[in-house]
Amino acid sequence: MRGQSAIMGVLLALAVGGVVELGPRLEERVVAYQQREETVWLPSAATLKRWSFGFEGLLADLYWLRAVQYYGRRAFRPGARFEQGIQLLELVTTLDPHFLAAYRFGAIFLALPPPQGAGRPDRALALLDRGIAANPEEWRLLLDKGFVLLWDVRDYAKAAEVFLQVSRHPRAPTWTWDLAAAVYARAGRREIARRIWRDRLEHGESEQVRENARYQLLCLQAEEELERLHAIVRAFQRERGRWPASWQELILAGKLKHPPQDPLGYPYQLDSAMGAVRLSARSPLILPRL
């Protein structure tokens, strides 16, 4: 019995050792399988429409579910590829050009940077442009295009132009005017932003909206004043080879007439070590940033 127990003990130890050794290999195989690209045959949209017998909407729903599953399996996986996801979205929106969810959420999937998404904002914009052409009454597709340009492409000027288009859409909410103005300010197109904020100040639908417009105009003014002060400080540094020690030194040098203050009366702060000019920490103004 003791001999049998010893043999069983040895076999058990070998089995456990084998499992320990095999475990990492199995895990590697599973990971490799999960990372292997899943390629399936996809018919053309024209073929599907020809053989759908009037059930294009049902097929669009089915392929949309397939597209969601496809992205769900790849999202957040380093090195994942999304080529067939692009094809699936094209299939869905060709079968049903009014499938708004496919345009809107599909654009998010395409625009998100890897590994969250495909990292293809160009394809997201192309998809949204198709949706806008097929659904001109849907201002939300135009809004989504503006956000792709803003957050993913970082083209603030184009994003501002798109948001301005949105604000002029008859069905768009009035807050889209504020969004357009803010992005124009971020793009450095302050005159356009100022015109929009002045119009909101005069014709805003509520006191809160008008007060916000007044505040934004003050922020734009402060931003321009800061740029002017930066230029003065840099000119002093070029002439003297050092940064000014204080506003008073700039006044004595004839660069300023008095210590500068922001539109609400708070003094601007001068960093004599770095030559930086900032708003006071006590000022309620916040420079326009997105």
Side-chain angles (χ1 to χ4, degrees), residues 73-108:
R73 290 174 184 149
R74 285 159 178 76
F76 296 97
R77 273 177 44 196
R81 299 170 65 86
F82 294 87
E83 283 80 359
Q84 286 202 308
I86 296 172
Q87 293 177 263
L88 283 164
L89 291 170
E90 290 177 352
L91 268 178
V92 173
T93 54
T94 301
L95 287 167
D96 185 356
H98 306 299
F99 202 134
L100 299 182
Y103 294 116
R104 302 196 70 197
F105 292 102
I108 294 173

PDB file of all heavy atoms in Angstrom, residues 73-108:
ATOM      1  N   ARG A  73     -15.271  42.963 -30.184  1.00  0.00           N
ATOM      2  CA  ARG A  73     -14.217  41.962 -30.013  1.00  0.00           C
ATOM      3  C   ARG A  73     -12.816  42.547 -30.185  1.00  0.00           C
ATOM      4  O   ARG A  73     -11.843  41.943 -29.756  1.00  0.00           O
ATOM      5  CB  ARG A  73     -14.417  40.827 -31.021  1.00  0.00           C
ATOM      6  CG  ARG A  73     -15.630  39.957 -30.732  1.00  0.00           C
ATOM      7  CD  ARG A  73     -15.846  38.958 -31.840  1.00  0.00           C
ATOM      8  NE  ARG A  73     -17.060  38.186 -31.623  1.00  0.00           N
ATOM      9  CZ  ARG A  73     -17.810  37.698 -32.603  1.00  0.00           C
ATOM     10  NH1 ARG A  73     -17.467  37.914 -33.855  1.00  0.00           N
ATOM     11  NH2 ARG A  73     -18.892  37.006 -32.326  1.00  0.00           N
ATOM     12  N   ARG A  74     -12.728  43.705 -30.838  1.00  0.00           N
ATOM     13  CA  ARG A  74     -11.412  44.264 -31.140  1.00  0.00           C
ATOM     14  C   ARG A  74     -11.052  45.484 -30.301  1.00  0.00           C
ATOM     15  O   ARG A  74      -9.874  45.811 -30.170  1.00  0.00           O
ATOM     16  CB  ARG A  74     -11.356  44.640 -32.629  1.00  0.00           C
ATOM     17  CG  ARG A  74     -11.211  43.420 -33.514  1.00  0.00           C
ATOM     18  CD  ARG A  74     -11.669  43.704 -34.934  1.00  0.00           C
ATOM     19  NE  ARG A  74     -11.463  42.521 -35.748  1.00  0.00           N
ATOM     20  CZ  ARG A  74     -12.220  41.447 -35.709  1.00  0.00           C
ATOM     21  NH1 ARG A  74     -13.256  41.399 -34.869  1.00  0.00           N
ATOM     22  NH2 ARG A  74     -11.969  40.403 -36.478  1.00  0.00           N
ATOM     23  N   ALA A  75     -12.047  46.173 -29.784  1.00  0.00           N
ATOM     24  CA  ALA A  75     -11.774  47.399 -29.022  1.00  0.00           C
ATOM     25  C   ALA A  75     -10.847  47.116 -27.852  1.00  0.00           C
ATOM     26  O   ALA A  75     -10.995  46.099 -27.159  1.00  0.00           O
ATOM     27  CB  ALA A  75     -13.088  48.008 -28.528  1.00  0.00           C
ATOM     28  N   PHE A  76      -9.878  47.994 -27.657  1.00  0.00           N
ATOM     29  CA  PHE A  76      -8.908  47.927 -26.562  1.00  0.00           C
ATOM     30  C   PHE A  76      -7.935  46.753 -26.704  1.00  0.00           C
ATOM     31  O   PHE A  76      -7.248  46.415 -25.747  1.00  0.00           O
ATOM     32  CB  PHE A  76      -9.614  47.859 -25.194  1.00  0.00           C
ATOM     33  CG  PHE A  76     -10.415  49.089 -24.892  1.00  0.00           C
ATOM     34  CD1 PHE A  76     -11.786  49.116 -25.144  1.00  0.00           C
ATOM     35  CD2 PHE A  76      -9.821  50.224 -24.374  1.00  0.00           C
ATOM     36  CE1 PHE A  76     -12.536  50.250 -24.876  1.00  0.00           C
ATOM     37  CE2 PHE A  76     -10.563  51.355 -24.099  1.00  0.00           C
ATOM     38  CZ  PHE A  76     -11.921  51.371 -24.348  1.00  0.00           C
ATOM     39  N   ARG A  77      -7.863  46.153 -27.879  1.00  0.00           N
ATOM     40  CA  ARG A  77      -6.894  45.087 -28.116  1.00  0.00           C
ATOM     41  C   ARG A  77      -5.741  45.651 -28.933  1.00  0.00           C
ATOM     42  O   ARG A  77      -5.936  46.017 -30.099  1.00  0.00           O
ATOM     43  CB  ARG A  77      -7.534  43.926 -28.876  1.00  0.00           C
ATOM     44  CG  ARG A  77      -8.219  42.909 -27.984  1.00  0.00           C
ATOM     45  CD  ARG A  77      -8.880  41.833 -28.815  1.00  0.00           C
ATOM     46  NE  ARG A  77      -8.012  41.383 -29.897  1.00  0.00           N
ATOM     47  CZ  ARG A  77      -8.455  40.692 -30.941  1.00  0.00           C
ATOM     48  NH1 ARG A  77      -9.733  40.417 -31.050  1.00  0.00           N
ATOM     49  NH2 ARG A  77      -7.620  40.302 -31.885  1.00  0.00           N
ATOM     50  N   PRO A  78      -4.551  45.778 -28.365  1.00  0.00           N
ATOM     51  CA  PRO A  78      -3.415  46.324 -29.111  1.00  0.00           C
ATOM     52  C   PRO A  78      -3.172  45.558 -30.407  1.00  0.00           C
ATOM     53  O   PRO A  78      -3.195  44.325 -30.436  1.00  0.00           O
ATOM     54  CB  PRO A  78      -2.238  46.161 -28.141  1.00  0.00           C
ATOM     55  CG  PRO A  78      -2.872  46.117 -26.783  1.00  0.00           C
ATOM     56  CD  PRO A  78      -4.191  45.421 -26.982  1.00  0.00           C
ATOM     57  N   GLY A  79      -2.985  46.295 -31.476  1.00  0.00           N
ATOM     58  CA  GLY A  79      -2.699  45.679 -32.762  1.00  0.00           C
ATOM     59  C   GLY A  79      -3.914  45.217 -33.532  1.00  0.00           C
ATOM     60  O   GLY A  79      -3.785  44.690 -34.645  1.00  0.00           O
ATOM     61  N   ALA A  80      -5.116  45.376 -32.984  1.00  0.00           N
ATOM     62  CA  ALA A  80      -6.324  44.937 -33.685  1.00  0.00           C
ATOM     63  C   ALA A  80      -6.536  45.767 -34.941  1.00  0.00           C
ATOM     64  O   ALA A  80      -6.200  46.944 -34.993  1.00  0.00           O
ATOM     65  CB  ALA A  80      -7.539  45.047 -32.765  1.00  0.00           C
ATOM     66  N   ARG A  81      -7.092  45.129 -35.956  1.00  0.00           N
ATOM     67  CA  ARG A  81      -7.379  45.808 -37.221  1.00  0.00           C
ATOM     68  C   ARG A  81      -8.886  45.869 -37.418  1.00  0.00           C
ATOM     69  O   ARG A  81      -9.619  45.013 -36.931  1.00  0.00           O
ATOM     70  CB  ARG A  81      -6.697  45.075 -38.376  1.00  0.00           C
ATOM     71  CG  ARG A  81      -5.178  45.030 -38.236  1.00  0.00           C
ATOM     72  CD  ARG A  81      -4.557  44.094 -39.242  1.00  0.00           C
ATOM     73  NE  ARG A  81      -4.751  44.578 -40.600  1.00  0.00           N
ATOM     74  CZ  ARG A  81      -3.943  45.445 -41.200  1.00  0.00           C
ATOM     75  NH1 ARG A  81      -2.891  45.927 -40.547  1.00  0.00           N
ATOM     76  NH2 ARG A  81      -4.155  45.832 -42.437  1.00  0.00           N
ATOM     77  N   PHE A  82      -9.334  46.883 -38.185  1.00  0.00           N
ATOM     78  CA  PHE A  82     -10.775  47.145 -38.267  1.00  0.00           C
ATOM     79  C   PHE A  82     -11.272  47.273 -39.715  1.00  0.00           C
ATOM     80  O   PHE A  82     -12.317  47.856 -39.953  1.00  0.00           O
ATOM     81  CB  PHE A  82     -11.111  48.444 -37.518  1.00  0.00           C
ATOM     82  CG  PHE A  82     -10.888  48.379 -36.038  1.00  0.00           C
ATOM     83  CD1 PHE A  82      -9.653  48.668 -35.500  1.00  0.00           C
ATOM     84  CD2 PHE A  82     -11.911  48.008 -35.181  1.00  0.00           C
ATOM     85  CE1 PHE A  82      -9.434  48.616 -34.131  1.00  0.00           C
ATOM     86  CE2 PHE A  82     -11.714  47.951 -33.814  1.00  0.00           C
ATOM     87  CZ  PHE A  82     -10.472  48.248 -33.288  1.00  0.00           C
ATOM     88  N   GLU A  83     -10.521  46.714 -40.678  1.00  0.00           N
ATOM     89  CA  GLU A  83     -10.890  46.918 -42.070  1.00  0.00           C
ATOM     90  C   GLU A  83     -12.300  46.426 -42.380  1.00  0.00           C
ATOM     91  O   GLU A  83     -13.072  47.097 -43.071  1.00  0.00           O
ATOM     92  CB  GLU A  83      -9.889  46.216 -42.999  1.00  0.00           C
ATOM     93  CG  GLU A  83      -8.576  46.937 -43.161  1.00  0.00           C
ATOM     94  CD  GLU A  83      -7.630  46.710 -41.991  1.00  0.00           C
ATOM     95  OE1 GLU A  83      -8.040  45.998 -41.040  1.00  0.00           O
ATOM     96  OE2 GLU A  83      -6.508  47.246 -42.018  1.00  0.00           O
ATOM     97  N   GLN A  84     -12.650  45.227 -41.891  1.00  0.00           N
ATOM     98  CA  GLN A  84     -13.970  44.701 -42.196  1.00  0.00           C
ATOM     99  C   GLN A  84     -15.065  45.469 -41.469  1.00  0.00           C
ATOM    100  O   GLN A  84     -16.209  45.474 -41.921  1.00  0.00           O
ATOM    101  CB  GLN A  84     -14.040  43.209 -41.863  1.00  0.00           C
ATOM    102  CG  GLN A  84     -13.280  42.350 -42.874  1.00  0.00           C
ATOM    103  CD  GLN A  84     -13.771  40.923 -42.865  1.00  0.00           C
ATOM    104  OE1 GLN A  84     -13.837  40.291 -41.806  1.00  0.00           O
ATOM    105  NE2 GLN A  84     -14.116  40.406 -44.026  1.00  0.00           N
ATOM    106  N   GLY A  85     -14.716  46.117 -40.367  1.00  0.00           N
ATOM    107  CA  GLY A  85     -15.699  46.967 -39.704  1.00  0.00           C
ATOM    108  C   GLY A  85     -16.108  48.123 -40.596  1.00  0.00           C
ATOM    109  O   GLY A  85     -17.286  48.508 -40.642  1.00  0.00           O
ATOM    110  N   ILE A  86     -15.152  48.677 -41.322  1.00  0.00           N
ATOM    111  CA  ILE A  86     -15.460  49.751 -42.270  1.00  0.00           C
ATOM    112  C   ILE A  86     -16.399  49.232 -43.355  1.00  0.00           C
ATOM    113  O   ILE A  86     -17.376  49.884 -43.720  1.00  0.00           O
ATOM    114  CB  ILE A  86     -14.158  50.304 -42.875  1.00  0.00           C
ATOM    115  CG1 ILE A  86     -13.300  50.942 -41.782  1.00  0.00           C
ATOM    116  CG2 ILE A  86     -14.453  51.313 -43.980  1.00  0.00           C
ATOM    117  CD1 ILE A  86     -11.908  51.353 -42.233  1.00  0.00           C
ATOM    118  N   GLN A  87     -16.124  48.030 -43.860  1.00  0.00           N
ATOM    119  CA  GLN A  87     -16.988  47.430 -44.874  1.00  0.00           C
ATOM    120  C   GLN A  87     -18.397  47.185 -44.328  1.00  0.00           C
ATOM    121  O   GLN A  87     -19.395  47.400 -45.035  1.00  0.00           O
ATOM    122  CB  GLN A  87     -16.394  46.108 -45.361  1.00  0.00           C
ATOM    123  CG  GLN A  87     -15.095  46.247 -46.135  1.00  0.00           C
ATOM    124  CD  GLN A  87     -14.551  44.885 -46.501  1.00  0.00           C
ATOM    125  OE1 GLN A  87     -13.688  44.330 -45.825  1.00  0.00           O
ATOM    126  NE2 GLN A  87     -15.064  44.323 -47.571  1.00  0.00           N
ATOM    127  N   LEU A  88     -18.461  46.711 -43.094  1.00  0.00           N
ATOM    128  CA  LEU A  88     -19.773  46.439 -42.496  1.00  0.00           C
ATOM    129  C   LEU A  88     -20.601  47.718 -42.382  1.00  0.00           C
ATOM    130  O   LEU A  88     -21.807  47.718 -42.664  1.00  0.00           O
ATOM    131  CB  LEU A  88     -19.590  45.803 -41.113  1.00  0.00           C
ATOM    132  CG  LEU A  88     -19.205  44.323 -41.100  1.00  0.00           C
ATOM    133  CD1 LEU A  88     -18.673  43.911 -39.741  1.00  0.00           C
ATOM    134  CD2 LEU A  88     -20.412  43.466 -41.480  1.00  0.00           C
ATOM    135  N   LEU A  89     -19.966  48.813 -41.971  1.00  0.00           N
ATOM    136  CA  LEU A  89     -20.688  50.080 -41.857  1.00  0.00           C
ATOM    137  C   LEU A  89     -21.168  50.567 -43.221  1.00  0.00           C
ATOM    138  O   LEU A  89     -22.274  51.115 -43.341  1.00  0.00           O
ATOM    139  CB  LEU A  89     -19.791  51.128 -41.195  1.00  0.00           C
ATOM    140  CG  LEU A  89     -19.487  50.889 -39.718  1.00  0.00           C
ATOM    141  CD1 LEU A  89     -18.399  51.837 -39.235  1.00  0.00           C
ATOM    142  CD2 LEU A  89     -20.748  51.057 -38.877  1.00  0.00           C
ATOM    143  N   GLU A  90     -20.356  50.370 -44.238  1.00  0.00           N
ATOM    144  CA  GLU A  90     -20.769  50.752 -45.582  1.00  0.00           C
ATOM    145  C   GLU A  90     -21.950  49.907 -46.050  1.00  0.00           C
ATOM    146  O   GLU A  90     -22.872  50.407 -46.704  1.00  0.00           O
ATOM    147  CB  GLU A  90     -19.595  50.623 -46.545  1.00  0.00           C
ATOM    148  CG  GLU A  90     -18.507  51.676 -46.317  1.00  0.00           C
ATOM    149  CD  GLU A  90     -17.317  51.490 -47.235  1.00  0.00           C
ATOM    150  OE1 GLU A  90     -17.270  50.453 -47.937  1.00  0.00           O
ATOM    151  OE2 GLU A  90     -16.437  52.365 -47.244  1.00  0.00           O
ATOM    152  N   LEU A  91     -21.920  48.613 -45.705  1.00  0.00           N
ATOM    153  CA  LEU A  91     -23.044  47.729 -46.042  1.00  0.00           C
ATOM    154  C   LEU A  91     -24.334  48.211 -45.390  1.00  0.00           C
ATOM    155  O   LEU A  91     -25.378  48.335 -46.038  1.00  0.00           O
ATOM    156  CB  LEU A  91     -22.750  46.303 -45.580  1.00  0.00           C
ATOM    157  CG  LEU A  91     -22.078  45.338 -46.547  1.00  0.00           C
ATOM    158  CD1 LEU A  91     -21.843  44.011 -45.858  1.00  0.00           C
ATOM    159  CD2 LEU A  91     -22.934  45.146 -47.789  1.00  0.00           C
ATOM    160  N   VAL A  92     -24.258  48.471 -44.086  1.00  0.00           N
ATOM    161  CA  VAL A  92     -25.447  48.871 -43.331  1.00  0.00           C
ATOM    162  C   VAL A  92     -26.049  50.155 -43.887  1.00  0.00           C
ATOM    163  O   VAL A  92     -27.267  50.240 -44.134  1.00  0.00           O
ATOM    164  CB  VAL A  92     -25.100  49.057 -41.836  1.00  0.00           C
ATOM    165  CG1 VAL A  92     -26.289  49.641 -41.078  1.00  0.00           C
ATOM    166  CG2 VAL A  92     -24.686  47.734 -41.216  1.00  0.00           C
ATOM    167  N   THR A  93     -25.218  51.151 -44.109  1.00  0.00           N
ATOM    168  CA  THR A  93     -25.731  52.460 -44.541  1.00  0.00           C
ATOM    169  C   THR A  93     -26.112  52.479 -46.013  1.00  0.00           C
ATOM    170  O   THR A  93     -26.853  53.361 -46.438  1.00  0.00           O
ATOM    171  CB  THR A  93     -24.695  53.551 -44.252  1.00  0.00           C
ATOM    172  OG1 THR A  93     -23.433  53.204 -44.844  1.00  0.00           O
ATOM    173  CG2 THR A  93     -24.513  53.733 -42.751  1.00  0.00           C
ATOM    174  N   THR A  94     -25.628  51.522 -46.795  1.00  0.00           N
ATOM    175  CA  THR A  94     -26.091  51.399 -48.176  1.00  0.00           C
ATOM    176  C   THR A  94     -27.440  50.708 -48.214  1.00  0.00           C
ATOM    177  O   THR A  94     -28.335  51.099 -48.972  1.00  0.00           O
ATOM    178  CB  THR A  94     -25.072  50.626 -49.029  1.00  0.00           C
ATOM    179  OG1 THR A  94     -23.812  51.311 -48.991  1.00  0.00           O
ATOM    180  CG2 THR A  94     -25.529  50.528 -50.481  1.00  0.00           C
ATOM    181  N   LEU A  95     -27.600  49.672 -47.398  1.00  0.00           N
ATOM    182  CA  LEU A  95     -28.888  48.988 -47.312  1.00  0.00           C
ATOM    183  C   LEU A  95     -29.970  49.904 -46.764  1.00  0.00           C
ATOM    184  O   LEU A  95     -31.119  49.885 -47.214  1.00  0.00           O
ATOM    185  CB  LEU A  95     -28.756  47.750 -46.423  1.00  0.00           C
ATOM    186  CG  LEU A  95     -27.997  46.560 -47.014  1.00  0.00           C
ATOM    187  CD1 LEU A  95     -27.669  45.548 -45.924  1.00  0.00           C
ATOM    188  CD2 LEU A  95     -28.800  45.910 -48.136  1.00  0.00           C
ATOM    189  N   ASP A  96     -29.613  50.706 -45.762  1.00  0.00           N
ATOM    190  CA  ASP A  96     -30.567  51.635 -45.153  1.00  0.00           C
ATOM    191  C   ASP A  96     -29.887  52.992 -44.972  1.00  0.00           C
ATOM    192  O   ASP A  96     -29.240  53.241 -43.951  1.00  0.00           O
ATOM    193  CB  ASP A  96     -31.042  51.103 -43.800  1.00  0.00           C
ATOM    194  CG  ASP A  96     -32.120  51.985 -43.182  1.00  0.00           C
ATOM    195  OD1 ASP A  96     -32.435  53.043 -43.772  1.00  0.00           O
ATOM    196  OD2 ASP A  96     -32.638  51.632 -42.111  1.00  0.00           O
ATOM    197  N   PRO A  97     -30.008  53.889 -45.958  1.00  0.00           N
ATOM    198  CA  PRO A  97     -29.344  55.200 -45.886  1.00  0.00           C
ATOM    199  C   PRO A  97     -29.831  56.073 -44.727  1.00  0.00           C
ATOM    200  O   PRO A  97     -29.205  57.095 -44.426  1.00  0.00           O
ATOM    201  CB  PRO A  97     -29.691  55.847 -47.233  1.00  0.00           C
ATOM    202  CG  PRO A  97     -30.087  54.716 -48.124  1.00  0.00           C
ATOM    203  CD  PRO A  97     -30.724  53.713 -47.232  1.00  0.00           C
ATOM    204  N   HIS A  98     -30.932  55.681 -44.066  1.00  0.00           N
ATOM    205  CA  HIS A  98     -31.476  56.469 -42.963  1.00  0.00           C
ATOM    206  C   HIS A  98     -31.193  55.837 -41.598  1.00  0.00           C
ATOM    207  O   HIS A  98     -31.826  56.204 -40.605  1.00  0.00           O
ATOM    208  CB  HIS A  98     -32.979  56.638 -43.155  1.00  0.00           C
ATOM    209  CG  HIS A  98     -33.347  57.209 -44.490  1.00  0.00           C
ATOM    210  ND1 HIS A  98     -32.934  58.453 -44.912  1.00  0.00           N
ATOM    211  CD2 HIS A  98     -34.070  56.672 -45.520  1.00  0.00           C
ATOM    212  CE1 HIS A  98     -33.383  58.688 -46.130  1.00  0.00           C
ATOM    213  NE2 HIS A  98     -34.063  57.619 -46.516  1.00  0.00           N
ATOM    214  N   PHE A  99     -30.238  54.916 -41.556  1.00  0.00           N
ATOM    215  CA  PHE A  99     -29.875  54.238 -40.311  1.00  0.00           C
ATOM    216  C   PHE A  99     -28.943  55.168 -39.522  1.00  0.00           C
ATOM    217  O   PHE A  99     -27.716  55.061 -39.572  1.00  0.00           O
ATOM    218  CB  PHE A  99     -29.167  52.919 -40.630  1.00  0.00           C
ATOM    219  CG  PHE A  99     -29.212  51.905 -39.519  1.00  0.00           C
ATOM    220  CD1 PHE A  99     -29.522  50.589 -39.785  1.00  0.00           C
ATOM    221  CD2 PHE A  99     -28.940  52.261 -38.191  1.00  0.00           C
ATOM    222  CE1 PHE A  99     -29.550  49.631 -38.774  1.00  0.00           C
ATOM    223  CE2 PHE A  99     -28.969  51.332 -37.181  1.00  0.00           C
ATOM    224  CZ  PHE A  99     -29.278  50.005 -37.468  1.00  0.00           C
ATOM    225  N   LEU A 100     -29.532  56.065 -38.744  1.00  0.00           N
ATOM    226  CA  LEU A 100     -28.760  57.111 -38.073  1.00  0.00           C
ATOM    227  C   LEU A 100     -27.753  56.563 -37.072  1.00  0.00           C
ATOM    228  O   LEU A 100     -26.646  57.089 -36.934  1.00  0.00           O
ATOM    229  CB  LEU A 100     -29.709  58.095 -37.389  1.00  0.00           C
ATOM    230  CG  LEU A 100     -30.679  58.853 -38.302  1.00  0.00           C
ATOM    231  CD1 LEU A 100     -31.519  59.816 -37.486  1.00  0.00           C
ATOM    232  CD2 LEU A 100     -29.918  59.595 -39.384  1.00  0.00           C
ATOM    233  N   ALA A 101     -28.129  55.522 -36.347  1.00  0.00           N
ATOM    234  CA  ALA A 101     -27.216  54.951 -35.348  1.00  0.00           C
ATOM    235  C   ALA A 101     -25.933  54.444 -36.000  1.00  0.00           C
ATOM    236  O   ALA A 101     -24.841  54.572 -35.431  1.00  0.00           O
ATOM    237  CB  ALA A 101     -27.904  53.830 -34.584  1.00  0.00           C
ATOM    238  N   ALA A 102     -26.058  53.879 -37.189  1.00  0.00           N
ATOM    239  CA  ALA A 102     -24.874  53.364 -37.877  1.00  0.00           C
ATOM    240  C   ALA A 102     -23.915  54.490 -38.233  1.00  0.00           C
ATOM    241  O   ALA A 102     -22.696  54.338 -38.130  1.00  0.00           O
ATOM    242  CB  ALA A 102     -25.285  52.594 -39.126  1.00  0.00           C
ATOM    243  N   TYR A 103     -24.465  55.623 -38.661  1.00  0.00           N
ATOM    244  CA  TYR A 103     -23.608  56.770 -38.972  1.00  0.00           C
ATOM    245  C   TYR A 103     -22.971  57.331 -37.699  1.00  0.00           C
ATOM    246  O   TYR A 103     -21.756  57.565 -37.647  1.00  0.00           O
ATOM    247  CB  TYR A 103     -24.416  57.880 -39.637  1.00  0.00           C
ATOM    248  CG  TYR A 103     -24.960  57.552 -41.006  1.00  0.00           C
ATOM    249  CD1 TYR A 103     -26.339  57.484 -41.230  1.00  0.00           C
ATOM    250  CD2 TYR A 103     -24.110  57.328 -42.086  1.00  0.00           C
ATOM    251  CE1 TYR A 103     -26.861  57.194 -42.485  1.00  0.00           C
ATOM    252  CE2 TYR A 103     -24.625  57.042 -43.346  1.00  0.00           C
ATOM    253  CZ  TYR A 103     -25.997  56.971 -43.539  1.00  0.00           C
ATOM    254  OH  TYR A 103     -26.500  56.692 -44.775  1.00  0.00           O
ATOM    255  N   ARG A 104     -23.790  57.542 -36.690  1.00  0.00           N
ATOM    256  CA  ARG A 104     -23.319  58.256 -35.502  1.00  0.00           C
ATOM    257  C   ARG A 104     -22.357  57.407 -34.674  1.00  0.00           C
ATOM    258  O   ARG A 104     -21.251  57.844 -34.350  1.00  0.00           O
ATOM    259  CB  ARG A 104     -24.507  58.694 -34.649  1.00  0.00           C
ATOM    260  CG  ARG A 104     -25.508  59.589 -35.391  1.00  0.00           C
ATOM    261  CD  ARG A 104     -26.429  60.297 -34.436  1.00  0.00           C
ATOM    262  NE  ARG A 104     -25.701  61.319 -33.690  1.00  0.00           N
ATOM    263  CZ  ARG A 104     -26.157  61.865 -32.562  1.00  0.00           C
ATOM    264  NH1 ARG A 104     -27.316  61.472 -32.061  1.00  0.00           N
ATOM    265  NH2 ARG A 104     -25.448  62.789 -31.941  1.00  0.00           N
ATOM    266  N   PHE A 105     -22.776  56.183 -34.311  1.00  0.00           N
ATOM    267  CA  PHE A 105     -21.902  55.337 -33.497  1.00  0.00           C
ATOM    268  C   PHE A 105     -20.772  54.747 -34.337  1.00  0.00           C
ATOM    269  O   PHE A 105     -19.671  54.531 -33.838  1.00  0.00           O
ATOM    270  CB  PHE A 105     -22.708  54.240 -32.808  1.00  0.00           C
ATOM    271  CG  PHE A 105     -23.639  54.763 -31.755  1.00  0.00           C
ATOM    272  CD1 PHE A 105     -24.993  54.903 -32.008  1.00  0.00           C
ATOM    273  CD2 PHE A 105     -23.149  55.146 -30.517  1.00  0.00           C
ATOM    274  CE1 PHE A 105     -25.857  55.406 -31.035  1.00  0.00           C
ATOM    275  CE2 PHE A 105     -24.003  55.645 -29.543  1.00  0.00           C
ATOM    276  CZ  PHE A 105     -25.362  55.772 -29.807  1.00  0.00           C
ATOM    277  N   GLY A 106     -21.058  54.496 -35.620  1.00  0.00           N
ATOM    278  CA  GLY A 106     -20.000  54.019 -36.501  1.00  0.00           C
ATOM    279  C   GLY A 106     -18.880  55.028 -36.616  1.00  0.00           C
ATOM    280  O   GLY A 106     -17.689  54.663 -36.626  1.00  0.00           O
ATOM    281  N   ALA A 107     -19.220  56.312 -36.678  1.00  0.00           N
ATOM    282  CA  ALA A 107     -18.194  57.360 -36.752  1.00  0.00           C
ATOM    283  C   ALA A 107     -17.346  57.380 -35.485  1.00  0.00           C
ATOM    284  O   ALA A 107     -16.131  57.610 -35.536  1.00  0.00           O
ATOM    285  CB  ALA A 107     -18.852  58.718 -36.971  1.00  0.00           C
ATOM    286  N   ILE A 108     -17.975  57.117 -34.343  1.00  0.00           N
ATOM    287  CA  ILE A 108     -17.212  57.058 -33.087  1.00  0.00           C
ATOM    288  C   ILE A 108     -16.221  55.899 -33.132  1.00  0.00           C
ATOM    289  O   ILE A 108     -15.037  56.057 -32.799  1.00  0.00           O
ATOM    290  CB  ILE A 108     -18.165  56.902 -31.883  1.00  0.00           C
ATOM    291  CG1 ILE A 108     -19.035  58.153 -31.733  1.00  0.00           C
ATOM    292  CG2 ILE A 108     -17.370  56.639 -30.602  1.00  0.00           C
ATOM    293  CD1 ILE A 108     -20.107  58.034 -30.678  1.00  0.00           C
TER     294      ILE A 108
END
